[in-house]
């Protein structure tokens, strides 16, 4: 296995907790599913957490805000059909997506906690240029697709499939699917991604470092104080 795995042991709620860290070599659901599968088979983890960046679709959200995926789906799944309008012919997706849900006990535990103090601490500890807005966490569906999005048309299509969607990325469905299918009982998975852009024509990379920092810092707080 050519993948690099890093290991450390930390204290989580007063008990030793082993953490394996690994990073995808490329973007996308396929790479994420393969990577998660290898890690699960090799290390038999209690929990799989994916951090990173996402496009924000929650109307009240700001750059850096953390998105907790309560369910994920592949918004490209379905059938493309030809639609004829006069002399114009276009392709239209008829979606047929399958949603995978976050474990209910984990969801209930997270939504019952006021994370404002730790989110403020995370924001203040960032040493780069951070937005002036307060850091927040949002819970909701995460749409997963096969390409980077910088298009209002794609955003509208995603919202037509789930009106409560909070964000979109390229890996979450692959991770959730691997965790659901690779063992019985399934391995619990959490996707925590922070908003680095809003998937529109103004999309750029300027806030990726900050979003990656808030996502990973929040995940570490959950590991050390909440989940175990």
């Amino acid at each position: 296995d050519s993948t690099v795995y890093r290991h450390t042991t930390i204290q989580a709620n007063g008990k030793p907790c082993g953490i394996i860290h690994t990073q995808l070599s490329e973007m996308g659901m396929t790479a994420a599913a393969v990577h998660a599968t290898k890690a699960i088979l090799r290390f038999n983890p209690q929990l799989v957490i994916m951090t990173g960046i996402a496009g924000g679709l929650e109307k009240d959200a700001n750059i850096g805000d953390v998105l907790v995926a309560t369910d994920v789906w592949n918004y490209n799944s379905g059938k493309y059909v030809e639609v004829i309008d006069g002399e114009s012919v276009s392709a239209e997706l008829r979606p047929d997506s399958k949603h995978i849900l976050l474990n209910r006990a984990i969801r209930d535990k997270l939504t019952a906690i006021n994370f404002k103090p730790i989110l403020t601490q995370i924001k203040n500890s960032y040493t780069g240029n951070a937005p002036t807005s307060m850091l927040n966490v949002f819970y909701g569906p995460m749409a997963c697709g096969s390409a980077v999005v910088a298009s209002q048309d794609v955003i509208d299509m995603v919202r037509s499939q789930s009106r409560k969607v909070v964000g979109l990325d390229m890996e979450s469905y692959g991770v959730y699917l691997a965790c659901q299918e690779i063992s019985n009982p399934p391995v619990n998975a959490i996707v925590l991604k922070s908003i680095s852009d809003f998937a529109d024509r103004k999309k750029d990379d300027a806030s990726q470092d900050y979003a990656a920092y808030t996502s990973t810092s929040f995940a570490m707080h959950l590991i050390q104080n909440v989940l175990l």
Side-chain angles (χ1 to χ4, degrees), residues 27 51-58 61-68 126 129-131 133 135-136 138 142 147-150 155 166-171 192-216:
M27 297 185 295
T51 62
I53 61 175
L57 300 185
E58 164 61 48
N62 297 298
I63 292 294
D65 285 351
V66 182
L67 306 177
V68 179
Y126 183 67
N129 294 323
S133 57
L135 195 60
N136 292 294
F138 292 92
M142 177 82 75
V148 176
V149 175
I155 293 174
V166 295
L168 55 84
D169 80 331
M170 297 173 60
E171 292 84 25
L192 305 170
K193 292 203 171 184
S194 293
I195 298 173
S196 63
D197 58 73
F198 295 99
D200 54 17
R201 67 182 64 182
K202 298 178 182 179
K203 176 185 175 69
D204 60 36
D205 299 338
S207 301
Q208 287 188 354
D209 285 349
Y210 176 62
Y213 180 83
T214 63
S215 167
T216 307

Side-chain angles (χ1 to χ4, degrees), residues 20 33 37 48 50 67 76 84-85 95 106 109 115-116 120 123 130-131 140 155 168 176 191 194 219:
I20 302 292
T37 298
V48 172
M50 184 175 200
L67 306 177
N76 297 129
I84 301 175
D85 183 9
I106 293 176
K109 179 180 287 189
F115 288 111
K116 287 288 186 182
T120 300
K123 182 182 187 304
I155 293 174
L168 55 84
Y176 270 50
V191 170
S194 293

Side-chain angles (χ1 to χ4, degrees), residues 3-190:
T3 299
V4 175
Y5 302 96
R6 296 176 176 87
H7 174 263
T8 190
T9 300
I10 65 169
Q11 291 296 308
N13 280 326
K15 299 178 292 185
C17 171
I19 296 178
I20 302 292
H21 169 267
T22 183
Q23 187 171 342
L24 297 182
S25 59
E26 62 179 272
M27 297 185 295
M29 279 179 278
T30 303
V34 170
H35 211 81
T37 298
K38 290 200 301 180
I40 292 167
L41 292 176
R42 183 160 185 160
F43 299 107
N44 189 29
Q46 178 182 344
L47 180 67
V48 172
I49 302 177
M50 184 175 200
T51 62
I53 61 175
L57 300 185
E58 164 61 48
K59 64 179 181 179
D60 296 324
N62 297 298
I63 292 294
D65 285 351
V66 182
L67 306 177
V68 179
T70 58
D71 61 279
V72 298
W73 84 100
N74 176 5
Y75 65 82
N76 297 129
S77 178
K79 179 181 180 180
Y80 282 99
V81 297
E82 285 190 344
V83 177
I84 301 175
D85 183 9
E87 296 182 355
S88 174
V89 180
S90 60
E92 180 180 289
L93 176 66
R94 302 285 171 81
D96 182 25
S97 54
K98 307 295 188 295
H99 288 243
I100 304 177
L101 304 181
L102 173 65
N103 176 273
R104 185 59 181 267
I106 293 176
R107 176 177 176 172
D108 289 347
K109 179 180 287 189
L110 296 184
T111 54
I113 298 174
N114 177 12
F115 288 111
K116 287 288 186 182
I118 187 60
L119 291 171
T120 300
Q121 182 180 326
I122 290 171
K123 182 182 187 304
N124 292 339
S125 66
Y126 183 67
T127 57
N129 294 323
T132 57
S133 57
M134 296 296 294
L135 195 60
N136 292 294
V137 58
F138 292 92
Y139 304 87
M142 177 82 75
C144 190
S146 56
V148 176
V149 175
S151 166
Q152 187 61 48
D153 288 343
V154 176
I155 293 174
D156 293 342
M157 184 265 285
V158 169
R159 285 200 171 115
S160 72
Q161 296 183 19
S162 177
R163 64 184 178 85
K164 294 184 178 181
V165 61
V166 295
L168 55 84
D169 80 331
M170 297 173 60
E171 292 84 25
S172 57
Y173 186 79
V175 171
Y176 270 50
L177 185 63
C179 290
Q180 177 179 271
E181 297 291 337
I182 200 64
S183 65
N184 187 18
V187 180
N188 285 326
I190 308 177

